[in-house]
Amino acid sequence: MSANNQQHNMEHQRHSLAHLLGAAVMELYPDAKLTLGPAVDDGFYYDIKFTGSVSESELASIENKMRELLPTWTTVTHKEVSKEEALGHFKGNEFKEELINEIADRNEVITLYTMGNFTDLCRGGHIDDLSVIDPASFKLDRIAGAYWRGKETNPMLTRIYGLAFESKEALAHYEWQQEEGRKRDHRKLGRELKLFTLSDLVGSGLPLFQPNGMIVRKAIEDYLWTLHSKKGYSRVWTPHVAKEALYETSGHAGHYMEDMFSVFGGTSKEKFYVKPMNCPHHMQIFADNQFSYRDMPVRYFEPATVYRDEKTGQLSGLTRVRSITQDDGHLFCRPSQIGEEITTIVGIIKEFYTTMGMIDGYWVRLSLRGDDHSKYLGSDEVWHTAEKALTDICIAQNLPYTPAKDEAAFYGPKLDFMFKDAIGREWQLATIQCDFNLPERFDLSYVNEQSEKERPVVIHRAISGSLERFMGVMIEHFAGAFPVWLAPMQVSILPVSEKFADYGEKVRQALEASDIRVTLSLGDSLGKRIRTAKTEKIPYQIVIGEKEQTSNTLTVEGRNDLKLENISVDDFIARITDEIKNRTLN
Amino acid sequence: MSANNQQHNMEHQRHSLAHLLGAAVMELYPDAKLTLGPAVDDGFYYDIKFTGSVSESELASIENKMRELLPTWTTVTHKEVSKEEALGHFKGNEFKEELINEIADRNEVITLYTMGNFTDLCRGGHIDDLSVIDPASFKLDRIAGAYWRGKETNPMLTRIYGLAFESKEALAHYEWQQEEGRKRDHRKLGRELKLFTLSDLVGSGLPLFQPNGMIVRKAIEDYLWTLHSKKGYSRVWTPHVAKEALYETSGHAGHYMEDMFSVFGGTSKEKFYVKPMNCPHHMQIFADNQFSYRDMPVRYFEPATVYRDEKTGQLSGLTRVRSITQDDGHLFCRPSQIGEEITTIVGIIKEFYTTMGMIDGYWVRLSLRGDDHSKYLGSDEVWHTAEKALTDICIAQNLPYTPAKDEAAFYGPKLDFMFKDAIGREWQLATIQCDFNLPERFDLSYVNEQSEKERPVVIHRAISGSLERFMGVMIEHFAGAFPVWLAPMQVSILPVSEKFADYGEKVRQALEASDIRVTLSLGDSLGKRIRTAKTEKIPYQIVIGEKEQTSNTLTVEGRNDLKLENISVDDFIARITDEIKNRTLN
């Protein structure tokens, strides 16, 4: 079975388990009213109106009931019914009645699905035989409140969540991953390691970076620029606001307006928007030049903050934010140059994620246009050319890719890169997007060998995606223990007592002179100071006592039980400088 | 006479010359109606309603008439008159009538000033004897249109501008400066050297930086960070929008609101402001820590773009913009640390402007509070402490300073640094501002030796002021011929013919490998390519021919008639690398 089919099968299995949950609840709580019960990414849930309250302590008995029913659910049957028949079946359940009436109003077929003794209103999408499911591969997870159909003015329902995977082992792995993820939660570590701040006065989804967080962020940003500057990219800078006319020309106005922040000038009385992306600005930088074919490709790089509005309730830490600093870049090339340019970008992506320790198990989604062509800007011919170019590169570069129909941006097809973090969770991060539409809309051109105007192709690319989200992912990936080149503090010097403070200070100065971020830790007991250094996840601790001072050497402790003894200050500086320069993982 | 008195005297002289202009016009155009005629920074003007049109060709005869009247204007007399008497004097001049009625409505004294045979409505502020003025020290300059009292719905008047200085030489110097300034106009050079772009679609006052401009801008920004990173500053990052609550807490809401851009979220329906300054954000970063006296001072640095709204008509190039990237920094210290910290900042300012070749003739304005204390936030005690601290530093540091009453910011006293560019024009650039108010408003504290909470002092500082404006000043200061470390392109390699293209390419690669920005120029005739390199103001041209290729050396031409012959590639790389590293002026 292919990965895609397997995915499909799990979705059906989870959907069937939602029915099983509904059946178990109705056996135990006959007065409860079932509403909607879909499959989700890690299992399933059912929203239920109970007559009384239900606590998580009752989940065990519901789960037992599910396991009891499971072996009897060997067949799945369904039938089309009339509106009246359906309403008769769910008499007294105003939620199902509402759904039935809506389906009937849309003139759609009403179907009832039966497994075991349980019949539910359903569109289908089930496995044929539930009895093949390993009873240990699923479990009920937790209870939450949820408004009927997500609307705050509707009745509050009880949502019971279940987890379900292809095997007992996969479930256990997922639970371990979740537990490990909670320990590494970047919001918790962000506070403990003083990486960033969320302020009620500034607003939700608008994180402020503390000095420690800024060291990490700047190191990542500088590294990204290093990778690009070697490949012919130039830095540009564009303002954070622009007139509506820019987005009307780009075509974003019609598609993105709802997520945009509108701006009004108190003095000028003029209207602007905070930029939701940098592309329209970069088109203006290109347009202000008269380029010839000899100048192509033209490549711009700008790590720039764009702003997109989201509902306050959906914002979280660094991963769901309103201020999004894209490591953005746009390149303008001749159609014949697409292949070479995207190959270069793929190279940058591979190098970057190798450095970050995330290259294992990555895959690429090739997002193509769907059947409803009215959703997209640009001609069929343009779409065909762009989609073929990306597909050819996937094949030529031997990328582990999966074509995904209907997933393209409105302006063009794209490659999205998925990377796994240290605990195996998958993140969509880098992207390369072809765009034949913006050059048209901004009437961009360069002069070819025949002194004629030719239209360039635009390629959008982001390697980390957004610095905020990427930082959030990195904090959890490294569990806050950043490799030396990223660590806010790289070395802690711990004299065993004040007696060795002078030698400690001498060592500190030597390290600082070599641009190493170092702190001399004095005051508290040695034990407490060592604990503090470990809590702060400082990669290297140098303990200094009589022996070290006398021999003018160091004893260094590092991660993974590393211990360096009798190492000279110069040798240690050479070692750590080398690690920083090579961005070594440790 | 002190510089201050001299300044005062020139203002009076210019004001008196405005009267002389009015008198000359009335002699030549008896039907004209005078309106308002003040002194300005470089002379004076008079707004006049002529019956017909007046062209610049008529300025000579008006100027002659002024010189004719001048020797007779040996006395200045004035008298207080009743409203009726004043109205009688200016019968038929609806502009003067409007002014007289307004003065009377405010119950203020109406005064008429008489010099020679000419009497004008005036508040005074003249020199005693105009006949001492050198007739060659002033001239009429140009004609412009101006609405009565600057309002578009009012009648259009003719504004005649005059230039006036303390001597003929000073006038000539000013005119040379103006002419030289026009040649160096950063808007013109900005286009020619492809430094920045103004886009109608993006909006006025929102410049976009082209790759060339960004090299200059980033080099300046990186240099500023280098200067600060050595002095204990940490980078921080804050978003460009914040809720109104932040500015209510900071107290900016009441004072700055008109210049601010308000923001509205399309999805969240929440209201924000684009930040007009970074201080309130930095207060939030400090507030999210529990600092002890051992942590003080805490120093934040953030080159961040703030946005302030100005009327479209007042925007120009890089010097009058809406997007202002401040090389901003805030430090939080104990009152006892103010002296040392400001001394450090003064050191940074001196080093930076020495590097830029602007240290000669700088002076400092010590801006103090005015008499109307209601205009300022904070207690009298707090103001006294801050003003004394700044004054003490001016004296101790032996700064060329001038106290300026009534020039303080609403939140505290400050030091503003004035620097002269290459043609002697003065620019207000660096600033150091004491602030005892924001720590109060944000209730900031650190814990002292007695474990008690203590209030820190905030010091705002900017070295370049704003990167946009500073870039504008630098473009004109260097007339586009940036020193090597700032030059977008540092070296142009010009083979005399295609025959030497290979050797040229070898040299190009060697320079590029040493991180030198270098271009190999081929195609056009050598003469044309050399002209292009000069137009692009590339510091070094390397001409390569038979001799150079045979001897494996270079012939290098640079600015100020520099010519290096028989220099090896390595020696040239060493030379230019040294200049870049030391940020040499050349």
Side-chain angles (χ1 to χ4, degrees), chain B residues 21-41:
Chain B
L21 166 59
V25 165
M26 292 312 292
E27 296 254 341
L28 297 170
Y29 308 85
D31 295 335
K33 291 172 183 173
L34 300 178
T35 70
L36 286 165
V40 291
D41 277 353

Side-chain angles (χ1 to χ4, degrees), chain B residues 365-376:
Chain B
R365 183 170 56 225
L366 167 61
S367 295
L368 306 168
R369 188 167 60 155
D371 292 328
D372 179 4
H373 292 186
S374 71
K375 283 162 59 186
Y376 305 91

Side-chain angles (χ1 to χ4, degrees), chain A residues 207-218:
Chain A
L208 297 86
F209 281 75
Q210 290 278 346
N212 281 351
M214 198 52 201
I215 288 170
V216 181
R217 178 178 165 139
K218 192 170 183 301

Side-chain angles (χ1 to χ4, degrees), chain B residues 3 27 58 108 121 125 209 346 371 416 513 562:
Chain B
E27 296 254 341
E58 291 164 67
E108 289 173 8
L121 179 71
F209 281 73
V346 168
D371 292 328
D416 289 314
L562 175 83

Side-chain angles (χ1 to χ4, degrees), chain A residues 357-377:
Chain A
M358 290 180 87
I359 200 68
D360 289 344
Y362 85 100
W363 65 277
V364 181
R365 182 170 54 226
L366 167 61
S367 295
L368 305 168
R369 189 166 59 154
D371 292 326
D372 178 3
H373 292 187
S374 71
K375 285 160 61 185
Y376 305 91
L377 294 176

Side-chain angles (χ1 to χ4, degrees), chain A residues 124-315:
Chain A
H126 290 282
I127 55 169
D128 301 330
D129 179 1
L130 267 74
S131 67
V132 305
I133 298 176
D134 177 355
S137 73
F138 71 89
K139 65 182 284 192
L140 295 185
D141 185 41
R142 67 192 195 281
I143 283 180
Y147 293 105
W148 166 234
R149 312 189 96 173
K151 222 175 134 183
E152 286 173 32
T153 49
N154 281 345
M156 174 67 91
L157 307 172
T158 301
R159 176 172 296 178
I160 300 179
Y161 280 102
L163 301 174
F165 287 85
E166 50 272 25
S167 67
K168 181 183 164 183
E169 291 70 28
L171 172 62
H173 177 73
Y174 179 78
E175 287 194 277
W176 166 82
Q177 214 173 43
Q178 290 298 102
E179 177 57 27
E180 191 57 27
R182 273 187 288 274
K183 282 188 214 154
R184 297 163 174 248
D185 188 325
H186 76 276
R187 294 165 300 184
K188 182 175 137 276
L189 285 172
R191 278 208 66 80
E192 287 170 11
L193 301 174
K194 280 272 158 262
L195 298 173
F196 64 95
T197 288
L198 290 167
S199 150
D200 286 342
L201 292 180
V202 174
S204 309
L206 298 166
L208 297 86
F209 281 75
Q210 290 278 346
N212 281 351
M214 198 52 201
I215 288 170
V216 181
R217 178 178 165 139
K218 192 170 183 301
I220 294 171
E221 194 183 311
D222 289 350
Y223 177 40
L224 284 164
W225 171 229
T226 302
L227 292 174
H228 285 83
S229 64
K230 288 188 218 145
K231 305 292 181 186
Y233 282 78
S234 300
R235 293 283 285 239
V236 294
W237 186 93
T238 60
H240 300 85
V241 301
K243 283 160 66 175
E244 187 166 8
L246 185 70
Y247 304 109
E248 276 165 359
T249 305
S250 71
H252 289 111
H255 288 74
Y256 266 89
M257 222 52 146
E258 230 179 62
D259 292 338
M260 284 165 70
F261 287 102
S262 58
V263 175
F264 184 75
T267 302
S268 63
K269 313 295 179 204
E270 282 188 60
K271 204 185 161 187
F272 301 86
Y273 284 89
V274 185
K275 64 177 172 185
M277 59 255 305
N278 301 301
C279 3
H281 285 82
H282 289 186
M283 301 301 123
Q284 290 296 282
I285 291 183
F286 182 90
D288 197 33
N289 293 272
Q290 288 78 45
F291 288 119
S292 91
Y293 68 94
R294 279 188 297 258
D295 302 312
M296 306 299 283
V298 169
R299 309 177 191 88
Y300 298 147
F301 181 79
E302 180 183 21
T305 312
V306 300
Y307 289 80
R308 295 181 192 164
D309 195 20
E310 288 206 55
K311 281 187 188 149
T312 311
Q314 292 174 341
L315 301 166

